[in-house]
Amino acid sequence: MGLNLSAEQKSIVKFFNSISVYIVPAYQRSYSWDRDKCSILWDDLEYALEKSSKDGYFLGNIVIAKSNDSDELDVIDGQQRLITLTLLLKALSFFDKKNDDISESILRQDRRDKTKKKQVVRSCVFEKNDNEFLKQYINEESAEKITKNERQDIFAKNFTFFYNKLKEFSENKDISIFSDFLLDKVYMLPIVARDEDELKANEKALMIFETVNNRGMELSDADIFKSQLYNSALNEKNQDDFIEEWLKLSEFSNEIGISLVELFRSYMHIIRGETNEIRQEIGLRVFFTKNYPLKKKKYSIVMENLYKIALLFQYNTLINKNEEPNKKLVKWIQVLSEYKIQYVKYAIISYLYKNSTLQDDKLVFESNNKLEIYLINLIKFSYFHGSTTKTKFKFYEIIALAMQGKEYKFKIPHTREYDYLGSLKNGYILLANYLDSNQEPIYPYKFDKILYQTDIKDLDINWKNKEYYSYGETLGNLLLLDFTKKRKNLPKRILEYKKSSIIETSSLSDNLNEWTYKKYKARDKALTDKIELFIESDNAIY
């Protein structure tokens, strides 16, 4: 794709008073500049006015898409600054009332009908009602109605900030000094991508947008993907449907506490699994925009897949919270949730994705028995190999098997000395408790130590001859709780352990009154043996 680009530095007055209207496209993120950012902008402008008024101040690049048959320019990057500048100019208009350049930078009169005006900057963002706020405030004739606005949305807050700063400035200096500097000596560099139609112009501008972002500008991957999907919908003349679907997905992901980026990352692993890709993964943005462009699939299919993934994340969370009738699934999911490498999560979601269908926005699953076997094998693999990033390549293979409908069965590749220390110790003690078939799932659960260093002084001499670090973090000294732990001395904690609904914790409480080093060693070995037997056993269901 050839790039027809132009870039010419322009002062604020030339930028805003051109014949064009600047449109923030529907797929962009909503306006979000807070007071801190406005304060930085004001301080920079005030400093530049004082120290280098002749040289001026450069405000940065603006990336714009322009089709040849329209005077409306799509703002691909820079909308936050443009809306903020519009609010600043509106505030300034109340102090420099005779300056037509200011008013024309906000609302431009029709050439022939002076009673008609149009916004110079207009937002079409669909996730919030940005343009309703912007339109309301730039048409407001009373500054007090904005500054006294009880609701004080982000637009009103930023207007009020600039209004107060300008009021303070005007009490000490001639406001025209600031106006002339802002309009004539503050510059931006609009980079304009042109093409014969809107869609192609936007695609070219997005290429620039991504390049600028990769060089350090803070832009979200989700925004990039949203823009590509929006363009696909625009090409199919279904942008309204896309807006509705994206809002639904965005609201739902926020409700269940999963970021849109996390949904796309899980989707990437699903796609990699479908194509049996088990090599090192590439960056998320590169995967979707270069190696696997989103436009290869219809936007509606992509959105349906993303929504299904979001439902699977919700389902996984509900299982973890013990809100699933199959209690064995709850146990295995909870144990896997304590495994601190993210790839196990993608392996679970990928398996659920392959073995479920979406019917009327509801998930329909295949056999829970097969899922249980899969989860058990995942636990065996994960807790045998421990918490190491080297396991990710094996997870790639596990995901690929799941996405191709093939069985994954864990086999011990070699003998090893089990090491239960480190970040997986909580998962090990949870697993050891759940290997008791009579133990019901617990949620929420906590972890505790039987002995803290402060407890040793009250125990027999055998404990005092041992270094705390040698047993403090081992299985034999760890406990699973169904209540919030409190730092009490051991005798008081024993009374709480007796009341626990956790079988192992409650039964252990009687022994803790005379807790010897020998008893600790016996418990440590029993828990270790139980886990090793589980991992090395060929039994599928427990």
Side-chain angles (χ1 to χ4, degrees):
M1 180 190 299
L3 290 178
N4 181 3
L5 301 178
S6 65
E8 178 188 356
Q9 181 171 289
K10 290 185 177 182
S11 65
I12 294 294
V13 68
K14 288 183 178 179
F15 180 86
F16 281 100
N17 287 352
S18 66
I19 63 170
S20 301
V21 172
Y22 300 100
I23 306 295
V24 179
Y27 57 78
Q28 288 278 23
R29 71 181 78 175
S30 58
Y31 181 60
S32 62
W33 264 36
D34 56 19
R35 177 168 179 160
D36 288 343
K37 287 188 173 67
C38 291
S39 181
I40 291 170
L41 173 60
W42 174 264
D43 290 344
D44 285 350
L45 291 173
E46 198 170 37
Y47 179 84
L49 172 60
E50 181 180 347
K51 299 296 183 181
S52 55
S53 58
K54 291 183 179 179
D55 297 329
Y57 175 72
F58 181 62
L59 197 56
N61 302 325
I62 304 289
V63 181
I64 292 169
K66 184 183 188 312
S67 57
N68 294 335
D69 58 354
S70 174
D71 66 348
E72 292 188 344
L73 306 181
D74 282 353
V75 182
I76 307 302
D77 181 38
Q79 62 119 332
Q80 302 284 338
R81 276 168 290 156
L82 291 191
I83 291 178
T84 302
L85 280 171
T86 300
L87 294 172
L88 171 56
L89 287 165
K90 177 62 180 179
L92 185 57
S93 70
F94 288 105
F95 296 92
D96 197 356
K97 296 180 179 180
K98 295 182 179 180
N99 194 325
D100 291 339
D101 284 335
I102 295 175
S103 57
E104 283 287 304
S105 297
I106 306 166
L107 291 168
R108 186 173 304 133
Q109 288 184 338
D110 185 89
R111 285 177 174 176
R112 294 175 179 82
D113 187 347
K114 301 302 182 183
T115 62
K116 293 182 180 179
K117 295 181 180 180
K118 58 182 176 181
Q119 292 175 232
V120 176
V121 176
R122 188 170 80 243
S123 177
C124 296
V125 171
F126 58 77
E127 289 172 295
K128 292 186 179 178
N129 298 323
D130 279 8
N131 203 59
E132 290 184 18
F133 292 120
L134 186 59
K135 183 178 180 180
Q136 174 187 346
Y137 297 137
I138 63 177
N139 282 284
E140 180 57 62
E141 296 182 358
S142 168
E144 190 176 57
K145 284 187 178 180
I146 306 176
T147 58
K148 302 286 186 186
N149 182 356
E150 292 181 1
R151 180 175 54 190
Q152 280 286 295
D153 54 74
I154 192 169
F155 292 85
K157 286 179 180 178
N158 291 348
F159 170 88
T160 302
F161 171 81
F162 289 124
Y163 183 85
N164 290 335
K165 287 294 183 180
L166 289 165
K167 183 178 181 182
E168 182 182 338
F169 185 97
S170 66
E171 290 171 352
N172 299 293
K173 299 177 184 178
D174 184 353
I175 196 66
S176 64
I177 297 174
F178 181 85
S179 297
D180 293 343
F181 175 75
L182 178 65
L183 294 171
D184 300 325
K185 292 295 183 178
V186 176
Y187 302 98
M188 292 187 294
L189 182 64
I191 303 172
V192 184
R194 289 183 171 82
D195 209 293
E196 57 193 31
D197 63 43
E198 180 184 359
L199 181 60
K200 291 181 179 179
N202 268 270
E203 287 179 348
K204 290 179 178 180
L206 280 167
M207 289 176 64
I208 303 167
F209 179 62
E210 293 168 29
T211 302
V212 172
N213 184 59
N214 287 336
R215 290 175 185 169
M217 293 183 68
E218 187 180 350
L219 300 169
S220 164
D221 284 341
D223 289 328
I224 296 290
F225 305 149
K226 177 174 64 172
S227 66
Q228 289 205 336
L229 289 168
Y230 180 82
N231 272 352
S232 296
L234 190 65
N235 197 30
E236 298 175 28
K237 303 188 184 307
N238 287 327
Q239 58 267 37
D240 290 341
D241 289 340
F242 168 76
I243 289 172
E244 182 179 344
E245 290 175 26
W246 183 270
L247 284 173
K248 174 185 172 183
L249 177 66
S250 182
E251 290 170 3
F252 182 60
S253 65
N254 185 60
E255 176 187 326
I256 63 176
I258 299 295
S259 71
L260 291 169
V261 170
E262 184 69 353
L263 295 183
F264 276 99
R265 192 170 299 282
S266 186
Y267 192 28
M268 176 183 73
H269 284 288
I270 287 169
I271 294 170
R272 278 169 52 89
E274 287 175 336
T275 57
N276 199 30
E277 180 56 71
I278 57 176
R279 296 174 296 178
Q280 175 68 47
E281 64 191 276
I282 59 177
L284 187 65
R285 182 172 303 186
V286 174
F287 180 85
F288 279 111
T289 60
K290 300 292 192 300
N291 292 38
Y292 191 92
L294 289 171
K295 60 186 178 183
K296 279 188 176 180
K297 286 187 177 183
K298 283 183 171 290
Y299 84 90
S300 54
I301 298 298
V302 173
M303 293 302 297
E304 182 179 310
N305 292 343
L306 289 169
Y307 188 70
K308 180 179 177 181
I309 293 168
L311 285 170
L312 291 171
F313 270 103
Q314 181 192 45
Y315 176 66
N316 188 61
T317 300
L318 291 175
I319 296 177
N320 192 41
K321 291 183 176 181
N322 199 11
E323 297 181 26
E324 157 67 39
N326 188 324
K327 298 308 179 184
K328 288 185 177 181
L329 291 184
V330 175
K331 293 181 181 182
W332 306 137
I333 287 291
Q334 286 184 347
V335 172
L336 286 169
S337 72
E338 294 299 325
Y339 185 72
K340 301 306 180 184
I341 294 181
Q342 62 182 345
Y343 295 100
V344 73
K345 171 177 56 183
Y346 301 133
I348 296 170
I349 295 298
S350 297
Y351 182 89
L352 293 172
Y353 183 94
K354 178 66 177 179
N355 294 279
S356 65
T357 55
L358 195 59
Q359 298 178 11
D360 298 325
D361 284 351
K362 293 184 179 180
L363 293 168
V364 178
F365 294 98
E366 296 181 11
S367 168
N368 274 342
N369 187 61
K370 288 184 178 180
L371 173 58
E372 187 181 348
I373 294 172
Y374 179 76
L375 295 176
I376 287 172
N377 278 299
L378 267 186
I379 291 171
K380 290 181 176 183
F381 167 78
S382 303
Y383 283 88
F384 176 83
H385 287 284
S387 181
T388 167
T389 55
K390 292 180 181 179
T391 59
K392 68 181 179 181
F393 290 99
K394 184 62 180 179
F395 276 114
Y396 297 157
E397 296 177 20
I398 293 171
I399 291 170
L401 286 172
M403 291 310 302
Q404 292 166 56
K406 297 178 182 178
E407 181 184 7
Y408 165 65
K409 183 172 176 59
F410 171 73
K411 294 181 180 179
I412 297 179
H414 54 77
T415 57
R416 67 182 278 258
E417 288 292 324
Y418 287 84
D419 180 6
Y420 298 103
L421 304 180
S423 62
L424 295 184
K425 61 181 183 295
N426 289 342
Y428 282 121
I429 194 65
L430 182 63
L431 173 60
N433 275 269
Y434 280 163
L435 288 175
D436 183 344
S437 60
N438 294 317
Q439 179 59 60
E440 289 291 310
I442 310 128
Y443 187 85
Y445 53 81
K446 306 288 182 180
F447 302 97
D448 199 6
K449 295 176 184 179
I450 295 174
L451 296 180
Y452 290 88
Q453 281 189 304
T454 54
D455 297 312
I456 307 303
K457 65 181 185 301
D458 300 321
L459 301 178
D460 65 46
I461 192 67
N462 289 322
W463 286 106
K464 295 173 185 177
N465 291 334
K466 308 296 181 183
E467 295 289 344
Y468 183 76
Y469 74 85
S470 67
Y471 61 83
E473 300 291 336
T474 61
L475 278 180
N477 195 47
L478 295 178
L479 270 179
L480 185 66
L481 302 181
D482 51 358
F483 54 85
T484 302
K485 66 179 182 180
K486 297 177 182 178
R487 289 300 298 269
K488 300 177 180 179
N489 60 32
L490 183 57
K492 289 182 178 179
R493 282 188 279 124
I494 291 172
L495 296 175
E496 293 181 333
Y497 297 157
K498 285 181 181 292
K499 302 173 186 177
S500 175
S501 63
I502 300 173
I503 296 170
E504 205 264 347
T505 301
S506 177
S507 61
L508 183 65
S509 62
D510 291 333
N511 284 325
L512 290 178
N513 286 312
E514 295 182 9
W515 190 237
T516 65
Y517 187 77
K518 184 178 179 180
K519 289 181 179 180
Y520 149 74
K521 290 294 290 184
R523 179 175 185 260
D524 189 68
K525 185 177 186 307
L527 293 173
T528 301
D529 289 346
K530 183 187 287 189
I531 292 172
E532 289 183 2
L533 181 63
F534 164 77
I535 291 177
E536 296 172 6
S537 171
D538 288 332
N539 293 334
I541 298 294
Y542 287 80

